Amino acid sequence: MSLTATMARIHPGKPALGPRELETLRHIASGHTYLQTARQMGLSRHTVDAYLRRIRTKMNINTTAELTRLAITLGL
């Protein structure tokens, strides 16, 4: 099952996350800092922060723990 299908099943009615948002989420859930994630993805720390803000807004998430739980649920 694709990640988009998994997200639709787990979080019906919520917008799907884009590939870069998912990649960012995977890094953060693995324990990487914003700076480490930015370096590994070839982005600025501010872009990583923007991706995470968009994820939080789309999924109505407020904490890093909730982000991590989402990543685990999605199998990231």
Side-chain angles (χ1 to χ4, degrees):
M1 182 180 294
S2 73
L3 279 177
T4 303
T6 301
M7 285 190 64
R9 182 177 53 78
I10 296 169
H11 300 286
K14 302 239 182 199
L17 300 178
R20 293 298 264 182
E21 292 168 335
L22 289 168
E23 184 179 356
T24 303
L25 179 58
R26 183 179 302 117
H27 284 286
I28 296 301
S30 296
H32 298 127
T33 66
Y34 285 24
L35 186 56
Q36 290 168 328
T37 298
R39 286 182 179 154
Q40 290 178 6
M41 293 178 67
L43 304 170
S44 75
R45 184 189 63 76
H46 300 289
T47 303
V48 169
D49 185 51
Y51 282 143
L52 292 171
R53 278 194 317 267
R54 287 195 330 221
I55 294 168
R56 285 184 168 113
T57 299
K58 286 180 178 181
M59 303 307 291
N60 194 25
I61 289 175
N62 297 309
T63 67
T64 303
E66 290 173 307
L67 282 173
T68 302
R69 190 177 88 190
L70 173 63
I72 290 167
T73 302
L74 293 174
L76 299 177

